[in-house]
Amino acid sequence: MTTFLLRRTAQALFTVWVVATLVFALLHVAGDPAQILAPPDMNQIQVAELREALGLDEPIWVQYGVFLGNLLQGDLGISYYNGRPALELVLERLPATFELVLSALAIALVVGVPLGILAALSAGSRLDRALRFISVIGISAPTFWIGIMLILVFSVEWGLLPSSGRGGPINLVLPAVTLSLFSLAFFLRIVRSSFLEVLTQDFVRTARAKGLPRGVVNVKHALRNALIPFVTIAGLQFGQLLTSSVVTETIFAWPGMNRLVLQAMYRLDYPIILAFAIVVAVTFATINLVVDVVYGFVDPRVRHA
Amino acid sequence: MFRRFAGLLVAATLTLGLVHAQDELVIAFQGGAATLDPMMRNETTTISWQRHIFDNVTAFDRDGNVVPGIATSWENVDPTTWHFEIRQGVTFHDGTPMTAEDVAFSIDRAATHPMSEMRGGLSTYEAATALDVDTVEVTTTAPDPLMPANLDYVRVVPQALIEEVGEEAFAENPVGTGPYVFQDWLAEDYLELDANPDYWGGTPAYEDVRLTAIPNGATRVAALLSGEVDMAVTVLPQDVPRVEASSDAYVSQEPGLRVIYLALDDVREDTPGMSEPNPFLDVRVRQAVFHAIDMDTIADRIMSGASTPASQFLAPFNEGYVEDLERPAYDPERARDLLAEAGYEDGFTVRLDAPNDRYLNDALIAQAVGGQLGEVGIDVEVNAVPRAVFFPEHFNNGNSTMAISGWASNNTGATLNGIFHCWDEEAGLGRFNPFWYCNEEIDAMIADAITIFDAEERAAAFGAIIEKSQTEDVAYVPLHYQNQVVAVAEGLAFQARGDGYVFATDVTPAD
């Protein structure tokens, strides 16, 4: 287990370095941040001074060397636009994004998985068709439209829930529900299809033939096996939500890191974009590691391999 | 069942208190301050937020006049020397007295610090020195009649504190002399403020203020209509009717600084947006374009009334705005006659380049203008593209014959030098003049006007340039001013400003 973890950590660090280098290279062909930062009343000499102050006048390999050197010391540079350490800016907004994403994931799991099981057990019935129809809407309706509709109904018309900002748990309701809909519908469909697939397999038929009660067979034999691939899917969905919550954050004025990074992209604020890329790469690597470890617990075949 | 559920929800939210505390004033902006270091970002929202904590040396009032801030008066000692009298008895929020040294330090920092974005407005600055307790001397490298106005770029900061704790720490815990004291913030998200009871300008009406960022326009208005915020700054045209229809809020608007205009190539025979020789070289064709465009309809249909048809390239807020200059009337008949006189009875075909994500409803405006020009026989291919394509590919390099863009500046000298002056890379003149409009007479008038020290005389000279260029040359067809639109909860009195700044000190309880 220890060697496994060490090997995985080394792989993760390598991944982070590759991601950082790729993003660095891409950014430096995107344009000149000094030109974008400078207000129109600045003359070219002043823009050049600004470029120099930001260290953008050096050749690209020198800039890359400085960047790597700082990265090894855990320093990701100062945001051009905000004038503060970029990592600090990203990390102070990370909790808000995690809070939103984890809440959305929880809603999607708690609602989506049981509905998927329900749809599978009642396959072909009217209930099943209704659930599948709802999931199609959840997958295809655009987030910004759902968000605005929920605000119009629950905040403006009924005055029940706050429309924006991050305060108490009540502020989390609308954004988390909005963000969860896609994953919820996705989980419903995945659980339904993988459960149906397992129900037709030999070992389930054998268990039934042995005369075990239907409930025991469904839960103990079929469901456990149906949920194995689901661990990977839930992990991947977490990563997906982490980076796709930008629309939700913008609509509900949720102070998450995606909103910050979207702005940073408009402004070519390299340090923030790099800090974000590294934070996300580390998060993904961690999720993958967690998924692999969890697999060992739920699937004996992995553990004994 | 459902009604019982709704009842439960209502009970739950009532106990949670959805509506913010009654005595707190909450103002929602589109963005938030990027930094609280007042020299770093020259951007309207950032400065709006900062100016609650800091005082300007001088400031513009809502009509565009330069008025006292920390400087109470000023005089021009010789062409390159100014003396500013400093307000006495002002203290910083931490209790230390503000001195003339602090003022000189603040001016110098804004004008020379490599990370300062205020340097553009202070490009003639040479030095600032505190001569005695109530006088700061500012010298310039060349005569600059606008120095008092330029100190609107400078907010006064405590020299000793910045030198003691460092710039970064100061920006996280800013201390100023302004009407509000810093409490807490998150960059580009919110700023919590408490009234400064000792403020030299009088204690503000609201003790407790929260400035907050709600990027999405529809959400911003929803938050106002649901009572979560008291004011929504920058209401988009499509949301204006919703506010007007509500009994809980009203709209306050003012023609803004930004003029949206049509630039025409009147220089090149062979022009990139056309296959035939350039018809815009004939001034009658350019006049025809002016008469063919119906800005009232565009303001009404596309902007929901959130724009004001422009009479000239300057906004009403600008120095030199010509009160009695009228926009040429919408007169398609006259436009057709002018085209016929110029030899274009059958019209011609031209490409109109415009951004589709830079100005309010820019692509819609481009389509409307294209349609209206079509009515008089000018066949327009509208090419509305993202700003990332428009500026580098079409506008900045003159790869266009007719383009829609915008311009906003509170410094008329800069507008004239950047937009109206012949292109001169060496001198940095005409940098924003897309198709190299050039009139030697106009250039001589600009060079003369920017050196006039008498404000009234200077404004008249600026106005004469704008009027001459528009009536004789028509290189630019101003379309409209984007209005500054603020939605305000009933029970509060507030009037929007043309320069787009929003200050809690301008809000009062309605009687």
Side-chain angles (χ1 to χ4, degrees):
Chain A
M1 190 73 189
T2 323
T3 37
F4 165 76
L5 278 178
L6 277 173
R7 204 176 63 228
R8 289 302 304 264
T9 311
Q11 278 173 354
L13 285 173
F14 179 75
T15 311
V16 169
W17 172 73
V18 170
V19 166
T21 305
L22 272 177
V23 174
F24 185 90
L26 282 173
L27 282 179
H28 281 263
V29 296
D32 177 11
Q35 280 294 5
I36 291 191
L37 270 180
D41 62 4
M42 266 192 171
N43 61 40
Q44 289 307 323
I45 298 161
Q46 293 170 325
V47 175
E49 285 169 354
L50 181 67
R51 196 175 293 122
E52 206 175 320
L54 297 172
L56 290 164
D57 57 332
E58 302 279 1
I60 183 156
W61 58 87
V62 175
Q63 290 187 48
Y64 181 68
V66 171
F67 164 70
L68 268 194
N70 289 343
L71 183 62
L72 289 172
Q73 298 163 42
D75 170 11
L76 295 178
I78 306 276
S79 154
Y80 303 156
Y81 194 82
N82 306 87
R84 282 171 57 206
L87 188 61
E88 199 178 288
L89 279 158
V90 172
L91 289 182
E92 79 181 3
R93 284 164 168 267
L94 188 77
T97 295
F98 267 59
E99 185 179 87
L100 177 63
V101 167
L102 287 171
S103 310
L105 197 64
I107 294 171
L109 286 170
V110 168
V111 180
V113 174
L115 286 182
I117 295 169
L118 194 63
L121 291 176
S122 62
S125 72
R126 215 180 273 177
L127 173 68
D128 177 37
R129 277 207 298 277
L131 285 171
R132 279 188 337 195
F133 176 71
I134 291 168
S135 75
V136 167
I137 291 180
I139 283 180
S140 50
T143 314
F144 66 87
W145 180 80
I146 293 175
I148 295 286
M149 283 299 135
L150 290 177
I151 287 174
L152 283 179
V153 174
F154 289 95
S155 310
V156 180
E157 286 301 315
W158 295 352
L160 292 177
L161 295 164
S163 63
S164 54
R166 182 181 182 218
I170 191 169
N171 288 74
L172 193 57
V173 178
L174 290 184
V177 167
T178 304
L179 185 61
S180 73
L181 287 182
F182 178 88
S183 307
L184 191 156
F186 184 68
F187 289 165
L188 192 157
R189 296 180 85 81
I190 296 277
V191 169
R192 180 185 177 276
S193 59
S194 76
F195 196 35
L196 280 175
E197 196 186 328
V198 172
L199 284 178
T200 59
Q201 284 186 0
D202 288 349
F203 72 90
V204 175
R205 210 171 317 142
T206 312
R208 288 245 181 93
K210 280 198 316 197
L212 287 171
R214 180 173 277 257
V216 174
V217 174
N218 279 347
V219 175
K220 211 174 154 180
H221 295 71
L223 189 59
R224 271 183 64 180
N225 281 292
L227 288 182
I228 286 173
F230 195 75
V231 175
T232 311
I233 288 161
L236 286 174
Q237 266 303 301
F238 177 80
Q240 167 78 22
L241 288 173
L242 196 64
T243 48
S244 70
S245 67
V246 62
V247 176
T248 311
E249 286 181 9
T250 304
I251 296 223
F252 293 98
W254 189 260
M257 61 180 182
N258 289 296
R259 221 175 88 196
L260 180 81
V261 172
L262 181 72
Q263 291 294 339
M265 287 176 182
Y266 284 129
R267 302 165 182 154
L268 292 184
D269 196 341
Y270 299 169
I272 289 194
I273 302 170
L274 283 161
F276 172 78
I278 286 164
V279 165
V280 169
V282 169
T283 313
F284 267 70
T286 315
I287 292 170
N288 283 337
L289 190 59
V290 169
V291 166
D292 288 350
V293 171
V294 170
Y295 247 80
F297 287 109
V298 295
D299 190 345
R301 286 171 304 182
V302 173
R303 203 164 38 216
H304 300 308
Chain B
M1 166 68 205
F2 178 72
R3 287 181 53 182
R4 255 182 52 200
F5 170 71
L8 273 176
L9 265 179
V10 170
T13 44
L14 285 180
T15 49
L16 283 159
L18 170 60
V19 177
H20 64 86
Q22 275 307 307
D23 50 358
E24 188 185 39
L25 178 71
V26 185
I27 307 177
F29 293 73
Q30 189 167 7
T35 166
L36 294 180
D37 184 330
M39 60 141 198
M40 263 194 79
R41 288 284 87 80
N42 181 4
E43 183 265 326
T44 307
T45 303
T46 295
I47 294 174
S48 262
W49 287 30
Q50 290 171 349
R51 279 180 62 181
H52 288 80
I53 303 168
F54 300 101
D55 279 319
N56 274 20
V57 178
T58 63
F60 286 103
D61 68 4
R62 64 169 59 253
D63 301 318
N65 306 310
V66 182
V67 293
I70 286 297
T72 52
S73 66
W74 42 91
E75 61 168 333
N76 181 232
V77 187
D78 64 56
T80 57
T81 311
W82 291 85
H83 283 180
F84 290 87
E85 191 177 344
I86 304 305
R87 196 177 291 278
Q88 294 300 291
V90 178
T91 49
F92 284 107
H93 298 150
D94 62 1
T96 46
M98 183 211 74
T99 64
E101 275 85 6
D102 289 312
V103 180
F105 169 81
S106 305
I107 296 171
D108 190 73
R109 187 169 180 261
T112 61
H113 195 294
M115 294 301 286
S116 167
E117 276 190 5
M118 305 303 154
R119 288 176 301 144
L122 297 161
S123 53
T124 57
Y125 169 87
E126 187 181 56
T129 7
L131 295 184
D132 53 46
V133 289
D134 60 358
T135 315
V136 168
E137 182 179 88
V138 177
T139 53
T140 56
T141 51
D144 185 0
L146 293 178
M147 199 65 207
N150 294 344
L151 292 189
D152 164 70
Y153 283 103
V154 182
R155 278 150 282 288
V156 178
V157 293
Q159 177 175 9
L161 184 65
I162 290 183
E163 286 170 354
E164 181 194 336
V165 302
E167 290 178 332
E168 231 176 85
F170 175 78
E172 287 311 291
N173 270 298
V175 172
T177 58
Y180 283 93
V181 181
F182 169 82
Q183 297 299 321
D184 179 31
W185 88 307
L186 177 63
E188 294 180 72
D189 191 55
Y190 73 87
L191 174 61
E192 287 280 0
L193 299 158
D194 277 359
N196 170 7
D198 307 323
Y199 188 54
W200 56 264
T203 310
Y206 292 90
E207 165 70 24
D208 197 1
V209 169
R210 180 183 173 91
L211 308 178
T212 177
I214 303 183
N216 182 282
T219 312
R220 207 156 51 244
V221 167
L224 173 74
L225 297 181
S226 64
E228 294 162 72
V229 306
D230 298 305
M231 283 164 55
V233 179
T234 316
V235 178
L236 302 178
Q238 63 265 30
D239 295 324
V240 169
R242 278 177 62 207
V243 180
E244 284 175 337
S246 158
S247 56
D248 303 328
Y250 65 94
V251 169
S252 168
Q253 50 184 327
E254 188 71 22
L257 278 175
R258 177 157 285 139
V259 59
I260 303 297
Y261 66 94
L262 190 62
L264 302 169
D265 180 2
D266 66 340
V267 175
R268 294 166 293 180
E269 180 79 33
D270 183 18
T271 183
M274 317 197 50
S275 48
E276 54 193 298
N278 184 357
F280 294 113
L281 296 182
D282 189 323
V283 70
R284 288 168 297 188
V285 176
R286 305 199 295 270
Q287 284 164 339
V289 169
F290 227 142
H291 287 297
I293 298 173
D294 174 9
M295 284 318 295
D296 286 330
T297 301
I298 289 178
D300 189 44
R301 301 281 167 76
I302 293 178
M303 302 299 288
S304 302
S307 69
T308 307
S311 62
Q312 57 201 279
F313 204 97
L314 294 179
F317 185 93
N318 286 127
E319 182 182 31
Y321 174 78
V322 187
E323 288 288 347
D324 53 12
L325 182 58
E326 287 202 358
R327 182 184 177 81
Y330 167 59
D331 187 349
E333 211 42 52
R334 176 102 186 86
R336 269 187 286 263
D337 292 346
L338 282 161
L339 286 172
E341 276 173 46
Y344 293 97
E345 294 88 347
D346 306 330
F348 54 85
T349 303
V350 61
R351 191 183 73 216
L352 166 60
D353 301 300
N356 63 12
D357 59 354
R358 175 66 187 90
Y359 306 110
L360 287 176
N361 296 340
D362 39 17
L364 292 172
I365 294 165
Q367 282 155 5
V369 166
Q372 290 171 353
L373 292 175
E375 296 287 311
V376 301
I378 303 175
D379 194 10
V380 177
E381 296 165 26
V382 178
N383 174 38
V385 291
R387 67 173 106 176
V389 176
F390 173 78
F391 287 100
E393 303 281 321
H394 294 295
F395 197 73
N396 296 351
N397 60 5
N399 176 22
S400 177
T401 297
M402 181 157 79
I404 285 180
S405 186
W407 176 262
S409 171
N410 59 13
N411 180 334
T412 302
T415 302
L416 293 171
N417 272 332
I419 299 268
F420 287 86
H421 202 287
C422 296
W423 195 57
D424 177 351
E425 199 173 12
E426 282 290 284
L429 297 163
R431 282 203 307 135
F432 304 101
N433 168 349
F435 313 132
W436 311 290
Y437 163 67
C438 188
N439 179 336
E440 307 284 345
E441 271 180 67
I442 293 277
D443 285 10
M445 287 170 79
I446 295 174
D448 179 49
I450 56 175
T451 58
I452 300 173
F453 275 81
D454 181 81
E456 244 170 84
E457 212 181 309
R458 187 174 59 240
F462 283 163
I465 297 167
I466 291 289
E467 190 158 2
K468 180 181 165 73
S469 172
Q470 179 162 312
T471 49
E472 291 176 20
D473 297 342
V474 205
Y476 299 109
V477 176
L479 298 174
H480 63 214
Y481 311 116
Q482 283 181 186
N483 287 4
Q484 296 292 348
V485 189
V486 181
V488 187
E490 285 296 341
L492 298 179
F494 176 80
Q495 215 192 336
R497 289 172 57 110
D499 57 9
Y501 290 129
V502 173
F503 304 124
T505 42
D506 286 346
V507 188
T508 50
D511 8 79

